[in-house]
Amino acid sequence: MRAVVFERFGEPAEVRDVPDPTPAVHGVVVRVEATGLCRSDWHAWMGHDPDITPPHVPGHELAGVVEEVGAGVTRWQPGDRVTVPFVCACGGCAACAAGDQQVCERQTQPGFTHWGSFAQYVALDHADVNLVALPEGLSYGTAASLGCRFATAFRAVVAQGRVAAGEWVAVHGCGGVGLSAVMIAAASGARVVAVDVSPRALELARTFGAAACVDASAVQDTAEAVRDLTGGGAHLSLDALGSPVTCAASVGSLRRRGRHVQVGLLPSPTGTTPVPMARAIALELELLGSHGMAAHAYPPMLELVRSGVLSPDLLVTTTIPLDAVPEALAALGTAPGSGVTVIEPWMNRP
Ligand SMILES: [Zn+2]
Ligand SMILES: [Zn+2]
């Protein structure tokens, strides 16, 4: 099969032929019809994830067709249209038993703990626990964005963030996960303040339901700008980018007893990220993390997509072939882009 491979962290990846994967006893091999390009893939390529040993194939948001099943798989068969959360759970640990597969103690992650989906085929573990059937009418491209960013945003806003109608929600960083959060919070009846440095990203945030926007490159103090717009601060604020600056701005955006949800990854090769804990104490803030979403939590989200309340398809702004991935992956470091880029591994070379 053809796959995007990198041999050394931070050095250009290349597209080449590699052996097809084979399924584990409990796993499947999926023919990848669409796979999203996410900032986490850039972190993987840069060497920010200790799980990765090159040569490596990144890619963790995918949708496709089951090609081959292991002997121990009971729920799936070749031909099934599926997607998968980026956290593949073991199904047997204490976290899994509690229904918290997104923080499984023995999780695997395609594109991180093993070769991922920037390839024509990908192996996925514990298929009976992790695969999600795609509803009819949901395209592979749209479904690919659900596996990481949209599902992550859904859990961050709805489950961890406990959004309520009428609340103010601030979203710091309007890339794929941030725009998803804007759409989900607005559909929940919240008033959303979108924050980004890109006018294009803020324009998209408005079309996805943001009531107000803050251009972080044009104001002195982003947190203060959000507090002014929201009559004293947001009830819920998300750092959807993942940086010390956006994390602090998110915590600073909150009103008393507000909730901060950290969604963007904070890999810190040089140390841990400072968080304004004095403010957290004085205002009794809640600081929460959010890490993907378990497969069993997908159906209510998929129902909102099917009924048209949520439209993740609007987030997909660009579709590219495998050959364009090395360049697009490297570009994520300097220009995160707006919306979601989807790769179609079977698309003909341009
Ligand atoms: Zn587990
Ligand atoms: Zn991702």
Side-chain angles (χ1 to χ4, degrees), residues 182-267:
V182 168
M183 182 189 288
I184 292 158
S188 305
R191 290 171 289 176
V192 180
V193 182
V195 183
D196 205 288
V197 294
S198 151
R200 170 74 183 137
L202 292 175
E203 191 186 310
L204 283 171
R206 268 196 200 283
T207 63
F208 295 151
C213 291
V214 172
D215 180 344
S217 68
V219 296
Q220 197 98 61
D221 183 335
T222 307
E224 187 185 345
V226 174
R227 293 198 303 272
D228 287 347
L229 276 167
T230 55
H235 299 84
L236 169 63
S237 182
L238 283 77
D239 174 10
L241 177 72
S243 77
V245 171
T246 46
C247 174
S250 175
V251 174
S253 301
L254 291 170
R255 65 177 59 205
R256 282 167 170 70
R257 294 183 57 80
R259 289 104 59 199
H260 161 79
V261 184
Q262 186 63 41
V263 185
L265 297 180
L266 288 164

Side-chain angles (χ1 to χ4, degrees), residues 90-93 96 104-105:
C90 75
C93 72
C96 283
C104 169
E105 294 165 24

Side-chain angles (χ1 to χ4, degrees), residues 38 40 60-61 148:
C38 174
S40 306
H60 61 282
E61 314 182 332
C148 167

